[in-house]
Amino acid sequence: MEPRPLDWAAGPLVWVDCEMTGLDPRTDKILEIAVLITNGDLELVDGGISYIIRTDKEVLDKMGDWCQTTHGASGLTEACIESPYTKDFVQQQVLSYIKKWIPKERLGVLAGNSVHMDRMFLAQEMPDILEHLHYR
């Protein structure tokens, strides 16, 4: 049986986790975004998606010590330099993925461990995603 999109009764949640160059959404950038979608019973619809955004070395070199150390050790810094994916491409892919499972606007609720911070970055860099989701 083909999986079906989630409706209101399913209670869809869109779990988002972002890695950034720092904590200021006005000056820092999203480096990576991962998205999982569940129903209200926290059952995954599939394995989710994750994208690393191509980022210029000059931007990465301006990261603070914590980000330089952490993202360098994890390999994210190098992966950002090598990534083929632009921010606009990633926004479109993430939005398409969300719409596949939750076609109705403002039905899926944005969720996550650091959702408030991730939401501020999405508002600055990927507003189309936020426009499709509900925050509360």
Side-chain angles (χ1 to χ4, degrees):
M1 185 164 122
E2 182 73 20
R4 291 184 307 176
L6 302 174
D7 60 12
W8 180 86
L13 298 168
V14 179
W15 300 87
V16 174
D17 184 40
C18 297
E19 295 296 331
M20 293 83 75
T21 60
L23 297 176
D24 186 343
R26 294 169 298 173
T27 57
D28 290 309
K29 303 294 178 200
I30 297 173
L31 300 175
E32 181 178 20
I33 184 169
V35 180
L36 294 170
I37 297 176
T38 68
N39 63 23
D41 293 327
L42 304 182
E43 298 167 331
L44 288 168
V45 298
D46 65 12
I49 59 170
S50 177
Y51 286 95
I52 295 173
I53 298 168
R54 182 175 59 237
T55 308
D56 292 335
K57 185 176 181 331
E58 295 76 31
V59 172
L60 298 167
D61 287 344
K62 293 178 185 173
M63 292 188 295
D65 291 342
W66 187 91
C67 287
Q68 291 256 0
T69 301
T70 303
H71 297 331
S74 72
L76 180 57
T77 301
E78 189 64 30
C80 287
I81 293 169
E82 297 173 358
S83 176
Y85 305 121
T86 66
K87 177 188 59 128
D88 291 339
F89 174 83
V90 170
Q91 175 178 230
Q92 202 50 44
Q93 292 301 303
V94 169
L95 185 57
S96 293
Y97 172 71
I98 293 169
K99 286 181 174 182
K100 170 187 167 186
W101 289 106
I102 310 167
K104 185 170 177 168
E105 198 169 283
R106 299 284 195 205
L107 181 64
V109 177
L110 179 63
N113 182 47
S114 55
V115 69
H116 180 70
M117 183 60 69
D118 292 342
R119 182 179 180 274
M120 289 193 306
F121 274 85
L122 290 172
Q124 189 71 26
E125 293 195 66
M126 300 182 179
D128 293 349
I129 294 170
L130 277 189
E131 288 176 22
H132 190 75
L133 299 176
H134 196 283
Y135 182 54
R136 298 180 193 235

